[in-house]
Amino acid sequence: MSTEEAAKLIISGGIISPPERAEPFPAAQAEPGAFAESDISTATASNVLEQELARQEQAGDDGHRGFGLLARLRNYFLAGVLVTAPISITVWITWNVVAFVDSRVTPLMPPGWNPESYLPFSVPGIGVLVVFVALTLVGMFATGLIGRLLMTVYERLLNGLPVIRSVYSAIKQIFETVLAQRSNAFRQVVLVQYPRPDSWALAFLTAETQGDVARKAPEESINVFLPTTPNPTSGFLLFVPKAEAKVLTMTVEEGAKMIISGGIITPPEPPELQKPEGGHGDAPGSGNQSVPTAAQQGGR
């Protein structure tokens, strides 16, 4: 592969493979025992509070009325934090994103189209709405005959520029691959041995290894993206032997939560995959199976 193809492969986390392709990687099947994510609610805080109070009563903490009152106040405070913190942080992040987009878009709007020019207060979300409408109109125009002709001329012009050509081509291919095949990229969570044997790390399966890397690799391999904690936007592209990667039953969203939290948040195992009491060995589908081959997927 060329240097440009290698750069695309690394930047995309293994999603974009060189033109020379092997057998396409099979589409991921629905994960068995998928379960819905529980919402954070006041019931969760109430359960935590009740459990803590019951523990203190069993330990005899309520024998001292003063200490018991302080313990209850502390538990009420923690329950309030548990309820309000996730909601507050979510609202704060959303508000800042909307405010950032509005601050960049609204100054570019004509005064007659900007509600803030004739209203005594600002209207949050106008910039986000304008961006959404603008992108939709651009997409409608680009899919038409005139739009396709203009895009052809535009791309020919960019292809004549040495440095910009490589940057534009890489970015365009990444977006086309992720948006057009989003069900194939980051399809499964796997366990891989990193950074040394018997030390395991969570990674996301992106594609089957193809091209030059597949020919030079000693075994049939897969492309995995191993994100870092707590910032999952950076990480490493690894080419792992398919037989050594262990597929997990958790979803990609659950894997991302576990990575971002540094392992604090662990997704619960579905009931049908839990070990029976007093049993030995791994339950079926507990994550010790390797990545299925194309023949195995086709025979299901």
Side-chain angles (χ1 to χ4, degrees), residues 24-49:
F25 197 82
Q29 296 183 353
E31 298 178 354
F35 51 93
E37 178 184 2
S38 58
D39 296 328
I40 297 177
S41 62
T42 55
T44 304
S46 177
N47 292 337
V48 173
L49 178 60

Side-chain angles (χ1 to χ4, degrees), residues 210-256:
Q210 302 170 356
D212 289 345
V213 178
R215 290 199 308 270
K216 300 296 177 60
E219 303 178 38
E220 187 179 7
S221 303
I222 56 174
N223 303 349
V224 299
F225 174 69
L226 195 152
T228 57
T229 300
N231 178 19
T233 58
S234 64
F236 306 94
L237 169 62
L238 304 178
F239 302 99
V240 181
K242 182 181 292 186
E244 296 182 6
K246 299 181 182 296
V247 181
L248 302 180
T249 58
M250 69 176 66
T251 63
V252 174
E253 181 181 359
E254 291 168 346

Side-chain angles (χ1 to χ4, degrees), residues 71-267:
R72 286 180 177 273
L73 291 177
R74 182 199 64 181
N75 292 333
Y76 287 139
F77 172 78
L78 294 178
V81 172
L82 181 62
V83 172
T84 59
I87 299 176
S88 302
I89 294 175
T90 302
V91 172
W92 179 79
I93 293 176
T94 304
W95 180 267
N96 279 273
V97 171
V98 172
F100 175 79
V101 176
D102 287 349
S103 64
R104 297 298 188 274
V105 176
T106 51
L108 304 178
M109 298 173 58
W113 290 21
N114 190 351
E116 297 181 1
S117 60
Y118 49 84
L119 290 178
F121 54 88
S122 61
V123 181
I126 292 296
V128 177
L129 180 61
V130 170
V131 170
F132 174 78
V133 173
L135 292 178
T136 304
L137 294 177
V138 170
M140 293 175 58
F141 177 76
T143 54
L145 177 61
I146 299 178
R148 289 198 297 267
L149 292 176
L150 291 179
M151 287 299 301
T152 302
V153 175
Y154 174 71
E155 290 184 350
R156 287 180 179 176
L157 177 63
L158 289 179
N159 288 333
L161 304 177
V163 178
I164 298 179
R165 172 183 59 194
S166 301
V167 176
Y168 173 76
S169 176
I171 295 176
K172 179 184 177 183
Q173 191 171 359
I174 291 174
F175 272 89
E176 287 179 347
T177 304
V178 172
L179 295 180
Q181 302 177 0
R182 55 183 178 272
S183 60
N184 294 331
F186 296 92
R187 70 191 86 179
Q188 287 175 316
V189 184
V190 295
L191 271 180
V192 296
Q193 297 190 68
Y194 182 87
R196 60 178 179 80
D198 298 327
S199 177
W200 298 87
L202 282 182
F204 299 116
L205 176 64
T206 56
E208 185 177 4
T209 305
Q210 302 170 356
D212 289 345
V213 178
R215 290 199 308 270
K216 300 296 177 60
E219 303 178 38
E220 187 179 7
S221 303
I222 56 174
N223 303 349
V224 299
F225 174 69
L226 195 152
T228 57
T229 300
N231 178 19
T233 58
S234 64
F236 306 94
L237 169 62
L238 304 178
F239 302 99
V240 181
K242 182 181 292 186
E244 296 182 6
K246 299 181 182 296
V247 181
L248 302 180
T249 58
M250 69 176 66
T251 63
V252 174
E253 181 181 359
E254 291 168 346
K257 289 180 180 179
M258 190 173 186
I259 292 172
I260 294 173
S261 67
I264 298 176
I265 300 177
T266 302

